[in-house]
Amino acid sequence: MRKPIMAGNWKMYKTPAETTTFFEKFLPLVEKSEHCEIVICPPFTDIAAAVTAVQGTRIGIGAQNLYWAKEGAFTGEVSGPMIKASGCTHVLVGHSERRQYFEETNETVLQRTVAALEAGLTPIVCVGERLGERESGETEAVLSLQFRAGIGLLSPEQFARIAIAYEPVWAIGTGKTATPEIAADAHRVLRAQVRGHYGAAAADAVRILYGGSVKPDNVRVLMAQPEIDGVLVGGASLDANSFASIVNF
Ligand code: PEP
C-alpha cells in the first residue's frame, strides 16, 4: 500500500506572520490525519516560521525550488544543503511555472533532483503536458519524454527516494480539473515508464500525485482512483479549512 502524500504549494503567497496564523488554524484540523503524509511548501521567506509551527507534528515542510550547486556566486539562488539546514524535508522540482517562466528544462530538472537527493531532501518532481499538447494527442509522448530525459536518468537507488507529481498544465490554477479517468490514464503512462526503466517493484512503490485545481469538492473522486497516490494543491492549500478538508478527504 502506498501512503498518500497530501502536499500544498503556496507559490508566492503569505508572509511569515500569515504562515503562523495558517498553522494555528490548520494543526488542530489534521491532528488525527494519520492516513497520509502532509507536506506544505511555502516561499523561502516563510520556511523558518513554518518549520517552527510544525515542530513536534508529522507535517513536513518543503521548498518550491533549489539550485544544484551547494554554494557559490549564484546571486538569488538557494541550495539543497541550505534548504535542508532550514528544517525542510521536501522540495518541489520542475513545477510547470518554473518550466514556463524560468526556463526550466528536463535537464535542469534532473540536476535539481540529484542535488535535492544529495542534500537528503525528498524531491517531488513535477511533469505534465500543456493544453495544445493534449489537444494534438501528444500527452503520452510528452510525459514519456519528460520522464526519459529527466528522472529516468536517476540511478535506481536515487529513483526510490523521489515522488512524482502529474500536473497537466491546463489544469493548474484554471479551475479545470482533469477528470479522475484522465488523471489515472496519465499516471498509468508514467508508471509504465517507471516499470520499463526501474522494474515492477519500483513501479509499485513510487508515489504519483495529481495536481491541477484540486479542491475539497473534487478530491474524493480523484483519490478514489487507485493510481492516484496523493495530491499537490496550489490555490486551495492557502486556506487552512480548505486544505484540511482536502487532507481529510
Ligand atoms: C500547483 O500549483 O501545483 C497547482 C496544482 O495549483 P492549483 O491547485 O491552484 O491548480
Side-chain angles (χ1 to χ4, degrees), residues 51-173:
V51 167
T52 303
V54 302
Q55 246 166 29
T57 74
R58 298 173 310 103
I59 299 174
I61 299 301
Q64 296 174 14
N65 183 32
L66 79 165
Y67 191 61
W68 51 83
K70 288 190 174 67
E71 60 181 5
F74 301 105
T75 302
E77 294 298 319
V78 177
S79 75
M82 290 168 177
I83 291 167
K84 176 77 178 172
S86 304
C88 286
T89 48
H90 292 72
V91 60
L92 300 180
V93 178
H95 190 278
S96 65
E97 287 153 14
R98 303 279 333 156
R99 293 179 190 254
Q100 188 174 351
Y101 305 127
F102 303 100
E103 292 168 18
E104 194 86 61
T105 63
N106 293 328
E107 291 69 31
T108 59
V109 166
L110 178 63
Q111 282 176 287
R112 290 179 210 275
T113 304
V114 171
L117 290 167
E118 280 173 358
L121 296 161
T122 301
I124 301 176
V125 183
C126 306
V127 295
E129 80 287 358
R130 291 161 185 267
L131 182 60
E133 293 166 337
R134 171 157 290 273
E135 285 176 345
S136 56
E138 291 172 86
T139 300
E140 187 164 342
V142 169
L143 294 178
S144 302
L145 179 65
Q146 287 178 344
F147 185 89
R148 281 199 316 277
I151 46 181
L153 296 169
L154 294 170
S155 71
E157 294 71 29
Q158 289 171 323
F159 186 81
R161 294 169 46 214
I162 74 164
I164 300 173
Y166 166 63
E167 297 208 308
V169 180
W170 47 270
I172 297 179

Side-chain angles (χ1 to χ4, degrees), residues 9 11 95 97 167 171-173 211-214 232-235:
N9 169 20
K11 310 189 191 225
H95 190 278
E97 287 153 14
E167 297 208 308
I172 297 179
S213 297
V214 176
L232 177 56
V233 185

Side-chain angles (χ1 to χ4, degrees), residues 170-178 210-215 218 222 232-234:
W170 47 270
I172 297 179
T174 58
K176 287 186 200 158
T177 322
Y210 167 77
S213 297
V214 176
K215 305 278 181 251
N218 60 23
L222 289 162
L232 177 56
V233 185

